[in-house]
Amino acid sequence: MSIRFTRGRGGLSAWPVAITLVFGLVACSGGGGSDDDKPDASTAASKSSESKPDAQEDDSGQALAELKGPSGLFLKVTASERDAGGFITISGDLKNDGEKTVNIPAQLSGNETEIIRNGSSLGGATLVDPKGKKRYYVLRDTDGRPLTTTNFPALKAGESLPVFMQFPAPPADTAEVTLQLPMFTTGTIEISG
Protein backbone atom coordinates (compact mmCIF):
# COMPACT_ATOMS: atom_id res chain seq x y z
CA MET A 1 0.00 0.00 0.00
CA SER A 2 2.84 2.43 0.75
CA ILE A 3 4.37 1.67 -2.65
CA ARG A 4 1.15 2.64 -4.39
CA PHE A 5 0.95 5.84 -2.33
CA THR A 6 4.55 6.76 -3.21
CA ARG A 7 3.97 6.20 -6.91
CA GLY A 8 0.75 8.22 -6.84
CA ARG A 9 2.42 11.15 -5.12
CA GLY A 10 5.38 11.04 -7.53
CA GLY A 11 3.00 11.04 -10.48
CA LEU A 12 1.11 14.02 -9.09
CA SER A 13 4.28 16.02 -8.52
CA ALA A 14 5.33 15.43 -12.13
CA TRP A 15 2.11 16.99 -13.50
CA PRO A 16 3.03 20.65 -12.77
CA VAL A 17 6.37 20.13 -14.49
CA ALA A 18 4.74 18.52 -17.54
CA ILE A 19 2.09 21.24 -17.75
CA THR A 20 4.74 23.97 -17.51
CA LEU A 21 6.79 22.37 -20.29
CA VAL A 22 3.77 22.00 -22.55
CA PHE A 23 2.70 25.59 -21.86
CA GLY A 24 6.22 26.80 -22.64
CA LEU A 25 6.30 24.92 -25.94
CA VAL A 26 2.88 26.20 -26.97
CA ALA A 27 3.62 29.78 -25.89
CA CYS A 28 6.95 29.90 -27.70
CA SER A 29 5.82 28.15 -30.85
CA GLY A 30 4.46 31.27 -32.51
CA GLY A 31 1.39 29.22 -33.51
CA GLY A 32 -0.94 29.60 -36.41
CA GLY A 33 1.67 29.84 -39.16
CA SER A 34 2.74 27.21 -41.60
CA ASP A 35 6.16 25.65 -41.42
CA ASP A 36 6.78 26.50 -45.09
CA ASP A 37 7.97 30.02 -44.33
CA LYS A 38 10.30 29.00 -41.50
CA PRO A 39 13.88 27.88 -42.15
CA ASP A 40 14.68 24.27 -41.45
CA ALA A 41 16.42 24.03 -38.07
CA SER A 42 18.77 21.29 -39.27
CA THR A 43 19.85 23.44 -42.23
CA ALA A 44 20.60 26.40 -39.97
CA ALA A 45 22.46 24.22 -37.48
CA SER A 46 24.58 22.54 -40.15
CA LYS A 47 25.41 25.87 -41.79
CA SER A 48 26.65 27.36 -38.52
CA SER A 49 28.64 24.27 -37.53
CA GLU A 50 30.34 23.64 -40.89
CA SER A 51 32.07 26.95 -41.39
CA LYS A 52 32.10 30.51 -40.26
CA PRO A 53 30.00 32.60 -42.71
CA ASP A 54 31.75 35.36 -44.58
CA ALA A 55 30.51 38.98 -44.57
CA GLN A 56 28.33 38.49 -47.67
CA GLU A 57 26.47 35.52 -46.16
CA ASP A 58 25.99 37.35 -42.85
CA ASP A 59 24.38 40.35 -44.58
CA SER A 60 21.95 38.19 -46.62
CA GLY A 61 19.32 38.10 -43.83
CA GLN A 62 17.24 41.27 -43.81
CA ALA A 63 17.55 43.19 -40.57
CA LEU A 64 14.46 44.87 -39.15
CA ALA A 65 16.62 46.76 -36.65
CA GLU A 66 20.21 46.84 -35.45
CA LEU A 67 20.96 47.74 -31.85
CA LYS A 68 24.51 48.44 -30.70
CA GLY A 69 25.53 47.60 -27.16
CA PRO A 70 28.59 47.74 -24.91
CA SER A 71 31.90 45.95 -25.53
CA GLY A 72 31.19 45.27 -29.21
CA LEU A 73 27.85 43.53 -28.63
CA PHE A 74 25.39 43.91 -31.49
CA LEU A 75 21.74 42.76 -31.74
CA LYS A 76 20.41 42.18 -35.25
CA VAL A 77 16.60 41.80 -35.16
CA THR A 78 15.49 39.59 -38.04
CA ALA A 79 11.84 38.76 -37.23
CA SER A 80 8.90 40.33 -35.44
CA GLU A 81 5.83 38.12 -35.65
CA ARG A 82 2.38 38.69 -34.19
CA ASP A 83 0.41 35.48 -33.56
CA ALA A 84 -3.28 34.77 -33.08
CA GLY A 85 -2.81 34.22 -29.33
CA GLY A 86 -2.13 37.91 -28.69
CA PHE A 87 1.66 37.67 -28.48
CA ILE A 88 4.52 39.13 -30.46
CA THR A 89 7.82 37.27 -30.75
CA ILE A 90 10.96 39.18 -31.67
CA SER A 91 13.97 37.15 -32.73
CA GLY A 92 17.42 37.80 -34.08
CA ASP A 93 21.11 37.30 -33.41
CA LEU A 94 23.24 38.68 -30.59
CA LYS A 95 26.79 39.00 -31.89
CA ASN A 96 30.16 39.93 -30.43
CA ASP A 97 31.67 42.31 -33.00
CA GLY A 98 34.57 43.09 -30.67
CA GLU A 99 38.03 41.56 -30.58
CA LYS A 100 37.79 39.97 -27.12
CA THR A 101 35.51 37.46 -25.41
CA VAL A 102 32.57 39.26 -23.78
CA ASN A 103 30.29 38.22 -20.94
CA ILE A 104 26.67 39.25 -21.48
CA PRO A 105 25.93 42.14 -19.06
CA ALA A 106 23.64 41.35 -16.14
CA GLN A 107 21.72 44.58 -16.82
CA LEU A 108 20.01 42.89 -19.81
CA SER A 109 17.96 40.86 -17.32
CA GLY A 110 16.40 44.05 -15.98
CA ASN A 111 15.97 44.94 -12.33
CA GLU A 112 12.88 42.97 -11.29
CA THR A 113 13.69 40.55 -8.47
CA GLU A 114 11.54 37.73 -9.86
CA ILE A 115 13.27 37.79 -13.26
CA ILE A 116 16.79 38.19 -11.83
CA ARG A 117 16.18 35.16 -9.60
CA ASN A 118 15.86 33.01 -12.74
CA GLY A 119 19.33 33.78 -14.14
CA SER A 120 20.62 35.85 -17.03
CA SER A 121 18.10 36.72 -19.75
CA LEU A 122 16.78 39.51 -21.96
CA GLY A 123 14.07 40.15 -19.35
CA GLY A 124 14.87 43.86 -19.25
CA ALA A 125 13.71 44.36 -22.85
CA THR A 126 10.61 46.46 -23.53
CA LEU A 127 8.50 47.34 -26.56
CA VAL A 128 7.09 50.84 -26.83
CA ASP A 129 4.00 51.56 -28.91
CA PRO A 130 4.41 55.27 -29.75
CA LYS A 131 0.94 55.44 -31.33
CA GLY A 132 -0.89 53.96 -28.33
CA LYS A 133 1.60 55.45 -25.85
CA LYS A 134 2.11 52.13 -24.04
CA ARG A 135 5.13 50.11 -22.93
CA TYR A 136 5.09 46.30 -23.06
CA TYR A 137 7.33 44.14 -20.88
CA VAL A 138 8.66 40.64 -21.58
CA LEU A 139 6.10 37.94 -20.76
CA ARG A 140 6.71 35.43 -17.96
CA ASP A 141 5.63 31.85 -17.43
CA THR A 142 3.73 30.69 -14.35
CA ASP A 143 6.99 30.30 -12.39
CA GLY A 144 8.10 33.88 -13.11
CA ARG A 145 10.72 32.95 -15.73
CA PRO A 146 10.92 35.44 -18.61
CA LEU A 147 9.95 34.18 -22.07
CA THR A 148 13.29 35.08 -23.62
CA THR A 149 16.61 33.45 -24.33
CA THR A 150 18.28 32.69 -20.98
CA ASN A 151 21.61 31.60 -19.47
CA PHE A 152 24.01 33.15 -21.94
CA PRO A 153 27.52 31.81 -22.42
CA ALA A 154 30.44 34.17 -22.88
CA LEU A 155 30.63 35.18 -26.56
CA LYS A 156 34.01 34.87 -28.25
CA ALA A 157 35.08 37.47 -30.82
CA GLY A 158 32.92 37.13 -33.95
CA GLU A 159 30.58 34.60 -32.33
CA SER A 160 26.80 35.04 -32.47
CA LEU A 161 23.87 33.53 -30.61
CA PRO A 162 20.23 33.28 -31.77
CA VAL A 163 17.89 35.05 -29.32
CA PHE A 164 14.17 35.66 -28.88
CA MET A 165 11.85 37.75 -26.68
CA GLN A 166 8.09 37.40 -26.34
CA PHE A 167 5.77 40.30 -25.46
CA PRO A 168 2.03 40.96 -25.31
CA ALA A 169 1.00 42.19 -28.76
CA PRO A 170 -0.03 45.81 -29.19
CA PRO A 171 -3.39 46.51 -30.90
CA ALA A 172 -3.79 45.17 -34.45
CA ASP A 173 -3.64 48.67 -35.97
CA THR A 174 -0.14 49.23 -34.52
CA ALA A 175 2.37 48.49 -37.28
CA GLU A 176 5.60 49.74 -35.68
CA VAL A 177 7.09 49.51 -32.20
CA THR A 178 10.37 50.56 -30.64
CA LEU A 179 12.53 47.85 -29.05
CA GLN A 180 14.50 48.95 -25.99
CA LEU A 181 17.17 46.82 -24.36
CA PRO A 182 19.24 48.07 -21.38
CA MET A 183 22.67 49.41 -22.42
CA PHE A 184 21.77 49.14 -26.15
CA THR A 185 20.63 51.73 -28.67
CA THR A 186 16.91 51.59 -29.51
CA GLY A 187 15.45 50.38 -32.79
CA THR A 188 12.12 50.77 -34.57
CA ILE A 189 10.64 47.47 -35.74
CA GLU A 190 7.84 46.80 -38.18
CA ILE A 191 5.46 44.08 -36.97
CA SER A 192 4.48 41.28 -39.35
CA GLY A 193 1.40 39.09 -39.01
Side-chain angles (χ1 to χ4, degrees):
M1 183 160 173
S2 64
I3 293 174
R4 179 179 288 171
F5 180 72
T6 304
R7 285 185 184 167
R9 188 171 22 159
L12 288 177
S13 66
W15 274 105
V17 173
I19 290 170
T20 302
L21 290 174
V22 168
F23 175 73
L25 289 174
V26 170
C28 295
S29 70
S34 67
D35 290 334
D36 297 336
D37 58 344
K38 295 180 183 176
D40 185 10
S42 62
T43 303
S46 64
K47 183 177 179 181
S48 63
S49 64
E50 286 176 10
S51 65
K52 197 172 188 178
D54 63 19
Q56 290 177 349
E57 287 178 344
D58 199 26
D59 292 340
S60 65
Q62 184 179 0
L64 298 177
E66 296 178 342
L67 286 67
K68 293 183 181 183
S71 306
L73 289 174
F74 180 78
L75 176 63
K76 179 180 176 182
V77 178
T78 56
S80 173
E81 298 180 19
R82 182 190 312 258
D83 69 13
F87 306 110
I88 181 170
T89 303
I90 299 191
S91 54
D93 294 304
L94 183 62
K95 184 176 181 181
N96 178 2
D97 271 346
E99 297 179 7
K100 297 180 180 180
T101 299
V102 175
N103 290 317
I104 306 303
Q107 289 88 340
L108 295 182
S109 297
N111 59 6
E112 294 181 45
T113 306
E114 190 172 21
I115 290 179
I116 293 172
R117 189 177 330 149
N118 289 297
S120 62
S121 69
L122 298 175
T126 58
L127 282 183
V128 176
D129 173 7
K131 182 179 176 184
K133 298 181 180 175
K134 288 189 177 183
R135 179 182 305 261
Y136 298 91
Y137 294 90
V138 170
L139 291 170
R140 301 176 194 174
D141 68 9
T142 55
D143 292 327
R145 292 183 298 254
L147 297 179
T148 71
T149 306
T150 57
N151 299 322
F152 298 103
L155 288 178
K156 297 177 184 172
E159 190 175 30
S160 65
L161 176 72
V163 295
F164 81 96
M165 298 160 268
Q166 195 168 44
F167 300 90
D173 63 343
T174 301
E176 287 187 345
V177 290
T178 302
L179 176 64
Q180 297 178 337
L181 194 59
M183 304 178 69
F184 279 71
T185 58
T186 60
T188 302
I189 299 170
E190 189 173 329
I191 302 171
S192 64

